[in-house]
Amino acid sequence: MPAPKLDIVPDESYGLFLAERRRGIVSRLAVACSRAGRDVSEVGMLAVSKMVEPEAVRCAWRAGWRAFAENRPQELGRKLSFVESEATPEMATARFDLIGNLQKNKINQVIGKVELLHSVSSAELARAVSSRCEAHGLVQACLLEVNVSGEQSKSGFAPDEVRAFAEEACALPGISIEGLMTMAPRGDADAARATFSGLRELAGDLRTRTGFALPTLSCGMSDDFQIAVEEGSTLVRLGRVVFDPEYDFF
């Protein structure tokens, strides 16, 4: 089922909230980078807009957000149609990624429309995306989704599976493997840290195996993005912390 939308009014007051919240997020991201000896420019931020209407995305753009993410192709299409309308010419350069599970019958709704496809979760899906992209004359930037924590509720390659498949993945036509994505267990800071450090170490192993740079590590969400940054994330995916005034950010 689609995520329920937040009950918000995208007015001037909400825009002021978004701007203030963004300043707080940037400040905490900078602190996390400092603790890890990293430069803040090494970490990108995605505003995960799945729980808000398109008008709230426009408010977020005006508050300083430039990159967004959706988890369903249909909702992605709705947001892109809004952004491309005459009502929002200011958002012509907005970036959108897809971060959710992708069914093979929805591939054509996504390729060529997103900056980065985060959720290539199996060899079968990678080959299918490659085939569709090649047929359309496209090269789609992708991440391999890895279930580092081993939770049964999460999709993605097991670490050993991605080691076995990485060389083939990097050689597939029509896609460009840019790195890895993972999600951590909720509500457990130690498990989150182990998951994110595991992704970083796995990426190092795959770089040696493939010779590819694999520069992007997509990990860290509203509850754990600071830990993710400390452990090497280059792209954090932030939803409620960005858009929800009720989210506890103290």
Side-chain angles (χ1 to χ4, degrees):
M1 295 292 292
K5 295 291 189 288
L6 296 176
D7 185 16
I8 56 175
V9 178
D11 56 11
E12 181 179 357
S13 175
Y14 185 63
L16 292 173
F17 155 74
L18 289 173
E20 179 62 26
R21 179 60 61 84
R22 188 177 188 279
R23 285 190 287 271
I25 291 169
V26 169
S27 175
R28 293 194 184 189
L29 187 144
V31 169
C33 284
S34 178
R35 285 197 293 261
R38 304 178 66 192
D39 191 279
V40 71
S41 65
E42 297 175 22
V43 185
M45 301 188 299
L46 293 174
V48 178
S49 47
K50 65 181 182 179
M51 74 288 293
V52 297
E53 295 293 339
E55 291 79 8
V57 176
R58 179 169 56 194
C59 287
W61 172 271
R62 292 172 178 171
W65 293 94
R66 293 295 178 263
F68 302 89
E70 290 290 332
N71 71 334
R72 290 177 177 271
Q74 184 175 355
E75 186 66 13
L76 170 70
R78 198 165 75 94
K79 299 288 174 47
L80 289 176
S81 293
F82 178 81
V83 167
E84 294 164 1
S85 71
E86 294 182 2
T88 54
E90 65 197 275
M91 294 185 68
T93 58
R95 163 182 172 164
F96 278 83
D97 289 6
L98 188 81
I99 61 174
N101 292 336
L102 178 62
Q103 298 174 346
K104 287 191 291 183
N105 63 354
K106 301 292 179 66
I107 290 172
N108 287 347
Q109 297 179 30
V110 173
I111 56 174
K113 298 178 182 179
V114 295
E115 181 82 12
L116 188 59
L117 173 57
H118 291 232
S119 49
V120 176
S121 56
S122 69
E124 181 182 15
L125 180 59
R127 294 173 187 133
V129 174
S130 168
S131 176
R132 303 286 179 82
C133 287
E134 191 175 24
H136 287 83
L138 299 171
V139 177
Q140 176 65 61
C142 299
L143 303 179
L144 300 177
E145 181 179 355
V146 186
N147 185 358
V148 176
S149 67
E151 291 178 279
Q152 291 187 352
S153 61
K154 288 183 168 56
S155 59
F157 291 90
D160 283 345
E161 290 175 338
V162 83
R163 288 186 181 97
F165 181 63
E167 290 183 76
E168 179 186 340
C170 289
L172 286 171
I175 62 174
S176 174
I177 303 300
E178 299 296 320
L180 306 177
M181 183 270 263
T182 199
M183 291 182 286
R186 295 186 63 180
D188 187 332
D190 290 339
R193 189 173 298 279
T195 298
F196 301 142
S197 63
L199 190 74
R200 183 191 67 238
E201 292 164 4
L202 178 61
D205 185 9
L206 298 185
R207 291 180 188 117
T208 300
R209 288 170 180 263
T210 67
F212 279 66
L214 306 177
T216 301
L217 296 182
S218 170
C219 56
M221 299 191 293
S222 293
D223 293 342
D224 55 27
F225 74 92
Q226 294 170 90
I227 297 172
V229 168
E230 291 171 5
E231 296 300 332
S233 175
T234 68
L235 188 59
V236 294
R237 311 182 303 270
L238 309 175
R240 288 193 175 275
V241 70
V242 173
F243 289 105
D244 189 354
E246 300 299 320
Y247 183 85
D248 185 4
F249 192 57
F250 300 100

